[in-house]
Amino acid sequence: MEIIVEGTGTAKFTPNEIILKINFHVKGQSYNEVLELGVQNVNNFIHQILIPNGFNIDEMKTRTMVIREEQKYDKNTQTYIKDGYSYNQEATIKFDYNKERLAKIMEQTSKIENAPMLNINFGVKNEKECKKQILKIAYQEAEIRAQALAEAAGKLLKQCIRVDFRPINAEYVSQSYLASNQMLEKANFGVTSTIIKTFTPEDIELTETVYCIWIAE
C-alpha cells in the first residue's frame, strides 16, 4: 500500500546579517552634468563612509546605473516637455549584524553633501543551512502522518520511496525595515543612540512543504 502525505516545516531565525541598499540620485540639465555629479557622489560615499568604516571598495555591489532624460507636464501646452536629466545608481553592501556599525554609517551619511538614500534590511547569511533545518522538520512531520495512517489501516510503515517539495519563494530577510529618512527625522535625538537603544529586527520565519510517498505492508 502506498501512502502519500504532506509535511510542513516552519522555523524562526534570528537575523545575523545587515543588507544595506544605497540609492544615489542626482538631477541636472545635461547628460554630462548628471554623470559627473553622480560619479562624484558615489566616490564621496566610498571615501567618506565606506573606507573609514572598514569596507573595501569591491564590497559595494552595483545593481543598476541609469541616466535618463526627465520630462514634466506643461499645463499651457498640455504636453510633456524636457526637464533635464537624472542619474540613479543602486548598490548593495552586506555585512555581519552590528547595530553600532550600522548606526555610525547612517549618522555619517546624513552629514555628507547630497546624501544617498539608505534602505536597510536584515537577513541570514547561511540560507542553505536554514533551508536544510526546515526541510528536516517537514520530513519528520510527513513521517509522523504516514505512520498514523499506516497504523489506522493495520499496516506496518516500511520505507519512503519518494520525496518531493513545493518550492516557495521565501525571502531570507526579516520584515523589519529601516530607511535613512526615518532616522533623519530623529536626528535631533542622536541617530546612533536611537538605533542602538530602540531598534531590534524581527526574527525571520520560514516555511517549506514536502510531499512523501511511503510503502506500508
Side-chain angles (χ1 to χ4, degrees):
M1 178 175 102
E2 288 188 352
I3 299 175
I4 302 174
V5 289
E6 174 186 300
T8 300
T10 300
K12 289 186 176 182
F13 300 91
T14 300
N16 59 8
E17 182 177 60
I18 293 174
I19 305 162
L20 183 64
K21 297 180 180 180
I22 312 149
N23 189 351
F24 300 94
H25 175 76
V26 172
K27 197 168 183 300
Q29 294 305 308
S30 72
Y31 183 99
N32 287 337
E33 179 188 3
V34 297
L35 176 59
E36 183 177 339
L37 289 174
V39 171
Q40 181 181 324
N41 284 345
V42 174
N43 282 330
N44 287 344
F45 184 79
I46 289 172
H47 293 287
Q48 295 180 36
I49 307 299
L50 291 191
I51 293 176
N53 283 285
F55 293 99
N56 295 320
I57 295 176
D58 58 3
E59 289 183 79
M60 186 173 79
K61 308 296 184 182
T62 295
R63 184 176 182 183
T64 61
M65 195 280 275
V66 179
I67 297 177
R68 65 187 175 201
E69 182 180 288
E70 295 292 336
Q71 295 183 332
K72 65 180 179 180
Y73 186 71
D74 189 325
K75 292 182 180 179
N76 295 325
T77 62
Q78 296 185 340
T79 60
Y80 285 94
I81 61 174
K82 183 178 176 180
D83 188 32
Y85 291 83
S86 67
Y87 173 104
N88 291 281
Q89 180 174 337
E90 295 181 2
T92 301
I93 301 172
K94 296 181 179 182
F95 56 97
D96 290 348
Y97 180 77
N98 184 318
K99 284 199 292 187
E100 288 79 5
R101 193 181 192 189
L102 172 62
K104 189 176 178 182
I105 291 170
M106 294 190 72
E107 184 164 19
Q108 290 175 349
T109 300
S110 70
K111 296 175 181 178
I112 64 175
E113 185 178 356
N114 197 16
M117 175 68 71
L118 303 181
N119 294 320
I120 295 91
N121 290 109
F122 303 88
V124 291
K125 292 193 295 184
N126 196 337
E127 296 180 5
K128 289 184 179 179
E129 184 59 36
C130 293
K131 188 169 185 175
K132 281 172 60 178
Q133 292 182 37
I134 301 166
L135 289 174
K136 182 178 179 180
I137 295 170
Y139 179 83
Q140 289 172 342
E141 181 183 83
E143 183 177 9
I144 291 171
R145 289 182 175 182
Q147 182 67 49
L149 288 171
E151 290 177 0
K155 305 286 186 179
L156 289 176
L157 194 66
K158 293 294 186 179
Q159 62 177 339
C160 179
I161 60 172
R162 181 175 176 180
V163 179
D164 243 325
F165 76 97
R166 179 177 63 199
I168 299 175
N169 294 325
E171 291 192 0
Y172 289 70
V173 176
S174 170
Q175 294 300 309
S176 298
Y177 168 86
L178 193 60
S180 57
N181 59 338
Q182 292 174 304
M183 287 296 100
L184 290 175
E185 292 172 359
K186 302 177 182 179
N188 290 334
F189 301 99
V191 176
T192 301
S193 59
T194 298
I195 296 175
I196 294 173
K197 293 179 181 178
T198 67
F199 195 85
T200 300
E202 182 181 0
D203 284 350
I204 301 166
E205 184 173 285
L206 302 172
T207 300
E208 292 283 1
T209 300
V210 298
Y211 299 93
C212 302
I213 299 178
W214 289 77
I215 296 295
E217 296 177 352

